[in-house]
Amino acid sequence: MLAREKWQIETLKVLEEVFEERKRQVARYGHNDDKADGTGMSVKWLSGTDINLDLRHADETEAAFRTEYDRNGGDEGADWMRLVREEIAEVFAEDDPDKLQAELLQVAALCVSWVESIRKR
């Protein structure tokens, strides 16, 4: 067996953490296979508003995304794009390294879930 390089070992550790987060998400939310992708060239990032996101801080953008997310039914009514977008906004608003890692693991696990959903179709 070939010796693994240090980065490969670290990648495997991170992927194990993503797997653990994925299991937590399945236990809490199920598989979400019925969600639409919500993607495409004509998709609006933030509908029903005239908000200029270029002028907002990360926490304000996160709040705008959360408001639109909740307006569309939250976890139950959101499509994949809105789920991932809202989680990414949480990442961008975080500056504590430990909390940032936790948010990134949530995003990674959510993206894995989305890929799983696409493959089941």
Coordinates of all heavy atoms in Angstrom, one line a residue, residues 35-45 78-82 114 121:
K35 N -37.5 17.7 -3.1 CA -37.2 19.1 -3.4 C -36.8 19.3 -4.8 O -36.1 18.5 -5.4 CB -36.1 19.6 -2.4 CG -36.6 19.5 -1.0 CD -35.8 20.4 -0.2 CE -36.3 20.5 1.3 NZ -37.6 21.0 1.4
A36 N -37.2 20.4 -5.4 CA -36.8 20.9 -6.7 C -35.4 21.4 -6.6 O -35.0 21.9 -5.5 CB -37.7 21.9 -7.3
D37 N -34.6 21.4 -7.7 CA -33.3 22.0 -7.7 C -33.3 23.5 -7.4 O -32.5 24.1 -6.7 CB -32.5 21.7 -9.0 CG -32.2 20.2 -9.1 OD1 -31.9 19.6 -8.1 OD2 -32.3 19.7 -10.2
G38 N -34.2 24.2 -8.1 CA -34.3 25.6 -8.0 C -33.2 26.4 -8.7 O -32.9 27.5 -8.4
T39 N -32.6 25.7 -9.8 CA -31.5 26.3 -10.5 C -31.9 26.5 -11.9 O -32.9 26.1 -12.4 CB -30.3 25.3 -10.4 OG1 -30.7 24.1 -11.0 CG2 -29.8 25.1 -9.0
G40 N -31.0 27.2 -12.6 CA -31.2 27.5 -14.0 C -30.8 29.0 -14.3 O -30.6 29.8 -13.4
M41 N -30.6 29.2 -15.6 CA -30.2 30.6 -16.0 C -31.1 31.7 -15.6 O -30.7 32.8 -15.4 CB -30.0 30.6 -17.5 CG -28.8 29.7 -18.0 SD -27.2 30.1 -17.3 CE -27.0 31.7 -18.2
S42 N -32.4 31.4 -15.5 CA -33.4 32.5 -15.2 C -33.7 32.6 -13.7 O -34.6 33.4 -13.4 CB -34.6 32.3 -16.0 OG -35.2 31.1 -15.7
V43 N -33.1 31.8 -12.9 CA -33.4 31.8 -11.4 C -33.0 33.1 -10.8 O -31.8 33.6 -11.0 CB -32.7 30.6 -10.7 CG1 -32.9 30.7 -9.2 CG2 -33.3 29.3 -11.2
K44 N -33.9 33.7 -10.0 CA -33.5 34.9 -9.3 C -33.0 34.5 -7.9 O -33.5 33.7 -7.3 CB -34.8 35.8 -9.1 CG -35.3 36.4 -10.4 CD -36.5 37.3 -10.1 CE -37.0 37.8 -11.4 NZ -38.1 38.7 -11.2
W45 N -31.9 35.1 -7.6 CA -31.3 34.8 -6.3 C -32.1 35.2 -5.1 O -32.1 34.6 -4.1 CB -29.9 35.4 -6.2 CG -28.8 34.6 -6.8 CD1 -28.7 34.4 -8.2 CD2 -27.8 33.9 -6.2 NE1 -27.6 33.6 -8.4 CE2 -27.1 33.2 -7.2 CE3 -27.5 33.7 -4.9 CZ2 -26.0 32.4 -6.9 CZ3 -26.4 32.9 -4.6 CH2 -25.7 32.3 -5.6
A78 N -38.6 25.1 0.8 CA -37.5 25.6 0.1 C -37.0 24.6 -0.9 O -37.0 23.4 -0.7 CB -36.4 26.0 1.0
D79 N -36.5 25.1 -2.0 CA -35.8 24.2 -3.0 C -34.3 24.1 -2.6 O -33.9 24.7 -1.7 CB -36.0 24.7 -4.4 CG -35.6 26.1 -4.6 OD1 -34.6 26.6 -4.0 OD2 -36.2 26.8 -5.4
W80 N -33.6 23.3 -3.3 CA -32.2 23.0 -3.0 C -31.4 24.3 -3.1 O -30.5 24.6 -2.2 CB -31.6 22.0 -3.9 CG -32.0 20.6 -3.6 CD1 -32.9 19.8 -4.2 CD2 -31.6 19.8 -2.4 NE1 -33.0 18.6 -3.6 CE2 -32.3 18.6 -2.5 CE3 -30.7 20.1 -1.3 CZ2 -32.1 17.6 -1.5 CZ3 -30.6 19.1 -0.4 CH2 -31.2 17.9 -0.4
M81 N -31.6 25.1 -4.1 CA -30.8 26.4 -4.2 C -31.0 27.2 -3.0 O -30.0 27.7 -2.4 CB -31.2 27.1 -5.5 CG -30.4 28.4 -5.8 SD -31.0 29.9 -4.9 CE -32.5 30.3 -5.8
R82 N -32.2 27.4 -2.5 CA -32.5 28.2 -1.4 C -31.9 27.6 -0.1 O -31.4 28.3 0.8 CB -34.0 28.5 -1.2 CG -34.4 29.5 -2.2 CD -35.9 29.8 -2.1 NE -36.3 30.9 -3.0 CZ -36.5 30.7 -4.3 NH1 -36.3 29.5 -4.9 NH2 -36.8 31.7 -5.1
W114 N -27.8 16.9 -1.8 CA -28.4 17.3 -3.1 C -27.9 16.4 -4.2 O -28.7 16.0 -5.0 CB -27.9 18.8 -3.4 CG -28.6 19.5 -4.5 CD1 -29.5 19.0 -5.4 CD2 -28.4 20.8 -4.9 NE1 -29.9 19.9 -6.3 CE2 -29.2 21.1 -6.0 CE3 -27.7 21.9 -4.3 CZ2 -29.3 22.3 -6.6 CZ3 -27.7 23.1 -4.9 CH2 -28.6 23.3 -6.1
R121 N -33.0 10.4 -8.9 CA -34.0 10.7 -10.0 C -33.7 9.8 -11.2 O -34.3 9.6 -12.1 CB -33.9 12.2 -10.4 CG -34.5 13.1 -9.3 CD -34.4 14.5 -9.8 NE -34.0 15.3 -8.7 CZ -33.4 16.5 -8.8 NH1 -33.1 17.0 -9.9 NH2 -33.1 17.2 -7.7

